[in-house]
Amino acid sequence: MLSMPAPAARGVPKLSIVIPVYNEEGVLPTLFARIYPALDALGVSYEVVFVNDGSKDRSVALLRQQFSARPDHTRVVLFHANFGQHSAVMAGLSYARGDYVVTLDADLQNPPEEISKLVDMLDQGYDYVGTIRQHRQDSWWRRWFSKMLNRLRERITPVHMTDQGCMMRGYARSVVTALNQTREVNTFIPALASLYAMRPIEVPISHEERFAGQSKYSLYSLIRLNFDLITGFSVVPLQLFSMVGMAVATLSALLVVYLFVRRVLVGPEAEGLFTLFGVVFFLIGIALFGIGLLGEYVGRIYAQVRERPRYIVEAVLEADSVRDNPR
Ligand code: UDP
Ligand code: MG
């Protein structure tokens, strides 16, 4: 750690950038080369908080190197294992000291040059700046999947935003404080922040292809993430389920009455066995889905009551003056 930081580092910066990093050795050099000039051009005091989410490649070495190159503007939080993107961002938010905090992905899908748009909005007094990706550069199934989930989320949760997927967002200090006070595990930060915001706004930003490396999200983890978004913000799925249960119970009661009447009028019948199978399998399917859905909520409660730390920090690289000026 360097003991003589540049004078610019003293005091609290106006802007903190939070970037989660997980196995990003392919993009980090280009990210550094683009983000620092973009931030220098803004003409405000800033810090970049990188959170290494247990990378197994050379990301940590590259982050250390960047810290020595720009100790006055760089802080690096090193996790002790992989805790997931949202935990990394939460850690970044709690280490960030700026009046404004902008989160973005390391892979350059969110161009660092767009940060200025978010800062402009925060300067105008908005406390939450959402983003809408223009010409999103992702595979067709990701775009389709997002569109469907956006619609679902819009209908059944109190969270309203045009584009839920993009992590590049700007938060004012008041929203960051509220986020830092939230003890919820498995959350979805942009959605949570939008609930805390008093003056939200959205801006269009450009979107690029992942610069190098691969997406860390498989279809499976995307589904998990979206369960967090839906079950974390709404109990409508459970309520819907009891509605379906009620409808099915009513229909089967009617069926029993009908069969009873036929038994009396027509006499014994043994046909329709496969129809019966069909009905039974359908009901079993619904019951299994219901159990799974209950499990989602129980799982969330379980994760919450265990109260394990959301992440474990192994080390923090920062200039000494930062520690002399805790926020
Ligand atoms: N990331 C992370 N931990 C993880 C997975 C991802 O910190 O377990 C970071 C990753 O390094 C990147 C960001 O989260 O900065 C978004 O990941 P990615 O680009 O793979 O997601 P996508 O853009 O495909 O949704
Ligand atoms: Mg990406």
Side-chain angles (χ1 to χ4, degrees), residues 24 105 107 109 138 142 207 210 215-216:
E24 300 286 9
D105 287 353
D107 59 0
Q109 286 196 284
D138 272 316
R142 286 277 305 254
H207 190 244
R210 194 174 225 293
S215 170
K216 310 294 179 292

PDB file of all heavy atoms in Angstrom, residues 24 105 107 109 138 142 207 210 215-216, ligand 2:
ATOM      1  N   GLU A  24     -12.152 -11.727 -15.240  1.00  0.00           N
ATOM      2  CA  GLU A  24     -12.244 -10.772 -16.348  1.00  0.00           C
ATOM      3  C   GLU A  24     -10.871 -10.370 -16.877  1.00  0.00           C
ATOM      4  O   GLU A  24     -10.685  -9.246 -17.329  1.00  0.00           O
ATOM      5  CB  GLU A  24     -13.016  -9.511 -15.918  1.00  0.00           C
ATOM      6  CG  GLU A  24     -14.450  -9.741 -15.458  1.00  0.00           C
ATOM      7  CD  GLU A  24     -15.427 -10.056 -16.586  1.00  0.00           C
ATOM      8  OE1 GLU A  24     -14.994 -10.271 -17.734  1.00  0.00           O
ATOM      9  OE2 GLU A  24     -16.636 -10.108 -16.301  1.00  0.00           O
ATOM     10  N   ASP A 105     -20.769  -2.985 -15.247  1.00  0.00           N
ATOM     11  CA  ASP A 105     -20.114  -4.276 -15.417  1.00  0.00           C
ATOM     12  C   ASP A 105     -18.697  -4.081 -15.943  1.00  0.00           C
ATOM     13  O   ASP A 105     -18.405  -3.107 -16.621  1.00  0.00           O
ATOM     14  CB  ASP A 105     -20.903  -5.130 -16.426  1.00  0.00           C
ATOM     15  CG  ASP A 105     -22.199  -5.648 -15.837  1.00  0.00           C
ATOM     16  OD1 ASP A 105     -22.402  -5.457 -14.627  1.00  0.00           O
ATOM     17  OD2 ASP A 105     -22.987  -6.227 -16.598  1.00  0.00           O
ATOM     18  N   ASP A 107     -17.262  -5.938 -18.156  1.00  0.00           N
ATOM     19  CA  ASP A 107     -17.024  -6.474 -19.497  1.00  0.00           C
ATOM     20  C   ASP A 107     -17.174  -5.459 -20.627  1.00  0.00           C
ATOM     21  O   ASP A 107     -17.164  -5.839 -21.785  1.00  0.00           O
ATOM     22  CB  ASP A 107     -17.960  -7.661 -19.741  1.00  0.00           C
ATOM     23  CG  ASP A 107     -19.425  -7.262 -19.620  1.00  0.00           C
ATOM     24  OD1 ASP A 107     -19.694  -6.072 -19.357  1.00  0.00           O
ATOM     25  OD2 ASP A 107     -20.287  -8.127 -19.793  1.00  0.00           O
ATOM     26  N   GLN A 109     -19.712  -3.955 -21.630  1.00  0.00           N
ATOM     27  CA  GLN A 109     -20.995  -3.925 -22.339  1.00  0.00           C
ATOM     28  C   GLN A 109     -21.666  -2.576 -22.088  1.00  0.00           C
ATOM     29  O   GLN A 109     -22.453  -2.115 -22.897  1.00  0.00           O
ATOM     30  CB  GLN A 109     -21.902  -5.066 -21.875  1.00  0.00           C
ATOM     31  CG  GLN A 109     -21.443  -6.408 -22.414  1.00  0.00           C
ATOM     32  CD  GLN A 109     -22.524  -7.473 -22.296  1.00  0.00           C
ATOM     33  OE1 GLN A 109     -22.760  -7.983 -21.205  1.00  0.00           O
ATOM     34  NE2 GLN A 109     -23.165  -7.811 -23.387  1.00  0.00           N
ATOM     35  N   ASP A 138     -26.963  -8.759 -27.242  1.00  0.00           N
ATOM     36  CA  ASP A 138     -26.893 -10.045 -26.571  1.00  0.00           C
ATOM     37  C   ASP A 138     -27.598 -11.057 -27.463  1.00  0.00           C
ATOM     38  O   ASP A 138     -28.243 -10.687 -28.440  1.00  0.00           O
ATOM     39  CB  ASP A 138     -27.603  -9.980 -25.199  1.00  0.00           C
ATOM     40  CG  ASP A 138     -26.669  -9.525 -24.088  1.00  0.00           C
ATOM     41  OD1 ASP A 138     -25.530 -10.010 -24.053  1.00  0.00           O
ATOM     42  OD2 ASP A 138     -27.085  -8.680 -23.264  1.00  0.00           O
ATOM     43  N   ARG A 142     -31.545 -14.410 -24.948  1.00  0.00           N
ATOM     44  CA  ARG A 142     -31.421 -13.564 -23.761  1.00  0.00           C
ATOM     45  C   ARG A 142     -32.384 -12.379 -23.870  1.00  0.00           C
ATOM     46  O   ARG A 142     -33.026 -11.984 -22.909  1.00  0.00           O
ATOM     47  CB  ARG A 142     -29.992 -13.006 -23.615  1.00  0.00           C
ATOM     48  CG  ARG A 142     -28.958 -14.001 -23.158  1.00  0.00           C
ATOM     49  CD  ARG A 142     -28.931 -14.176 -21.661  1.00  0.00           C
ATOM     50  NE  ARG A 142     -28.745 -12.982 -20.857  1.00  0.00           N
ATOM     51  CZ  ARG A 142     -27.623 -12.675 -20.234  1.00  0.00           C
ATOM     52  NH1 ARG A 142     -26.561 -13.431 -20.358  1.00  0.00           N
ATOM     53  NH2 ARG A 142     -27.538 -11.607 -19.463  1.00  0.00           N
ATOM     54  N   HIS A 207     -25.117   0.147 -25.803  1.00  0.00           N
ATOM     55  CA  HIS A 207     -24.771  -1.174 -25.270  1.00  0.00           C
ATOM     56  C   HIS A 207     -23.865  -1.841 -26.289  1.00  0.00           C
ATOM     57  O   HIS A 207     -24.096  -1.745 -27.487  1.00  0.00           O
ATOM     58  CB  HIS A 207     -26.063  -1.984 -25.084  1.00  0.00           C
ATOM     59  CG  HIS A 207     -25.886  -3.259 -24.334  1.00  0.00           C
ATOM     60  ND1 HIS A 207     -26.103  -4.483 -24.884  1.00  0.00           N
ATOM     61  CD2 HIS A 207     -25.497  -3.482 -23.064  1.00  0.00           C
ATOM     62  CE1 HIS A 207     -25.873  -5.427 -23.978  1.00  0.00           C
ATOM     63  NE2 HIS A 207     -25.498  -4.848 -22.863  1.00  0.00           N
ATOM     64  N   ARG A 210     -19.989  -7.981 -25.334  1.00  0.00           N
ATOM     65  CA  ARG A 210     -18.979  -8.291 -24.337  1.00  0.00           C
ATOM     66  C   ARG A 210     -17.621  -8.200 -25.012  1.00  0.00           C
ATOM     67  O   ARG A 210     -17.419  -8.768 -26.070  1.00  0.00           O
ATOM     68  CB  ARG A 210     -19.231  -9.709 -23.833  1.00  0.00           C
ATOM     69  CG  ARG A 210     -18.487 -10.026 -22.600  1.00  0.00           C
ATOM     70  CD  ARG A 210     -18.914 -11.383 -22.089  1.00  0.00           C
ATOM     71  NE  ARG A 210     -19.146 -11.317 -20.647  1.00  0.00           N
ATOM     72  CZ  ARG A 210     -18.175 -11.111 -19.771  1.00  0.00           C
ATOM     73  NH1 ARG A 210     -16.950 -10.960 -20.174  1.00  0.00           N
ATOM     74  NH2 ARG A 210     -18.438 -11.033 -18.497  1.00  0.00           N
ATOM     75  N   SER A 215     -19.969 -14.665 -20.929  1.00  0.00           N
ATOM     76  CA  SER A 215     -20.951 -14.284 -19.924  1.00  0.00           C
ATOM     77  C   SER A 215     -20.890 -15.278 -18.774  1.00  0.00           C
ATOM     78  O   SER A 215     -20.726 -16.469 -18.979  1.00  0.00           O
ATOM     79  CB  SER A 215     -22.341 -14.287 -20.534  1.00  0.00           C
ATOM     80  OG  SER A 215     -23.283 -14.133 -19.492  1.00  0.00           O
ATOM     81  N   LYS A 216     -21.037 -14.749 -17.559  1.00  0.00           N
ATOM     82  CA  LYS A 216     -20.977 -15.617 -16.376  1.00  0.00           C
ATOM     83  C   LYS A 216     -22.354 -16.208 -16.080  1.00  0.00           C
ATOM     84  O   LYS A 216     -22.530 -16.924 -15.117  1.00  0.00           O
ATOM     85  CB  LYS A 216     -20.484 -14.827 -15.159  1.00  0.00           C
ATOM     86  CG  LYS A 216     -19.206 -14.033 -15.390  1.00  0.00           C
ATOM     87  CD  LYS A 216     -18.016 -14.945 -15.650  1.00  0.00           C
ATOM     88  CE  LYS A 216     -16.725 -14.179 -15.899  1.00  0.00           C
ATOM     89  NZ  LYS A 216     -16.684 -13.412 -17.126  1.00  0.00           N
TER      90      LYS A 216
HETATM   91 MG    MG B   2     -22.024  -8.712 -19.543  1.00  0.00          MG
END
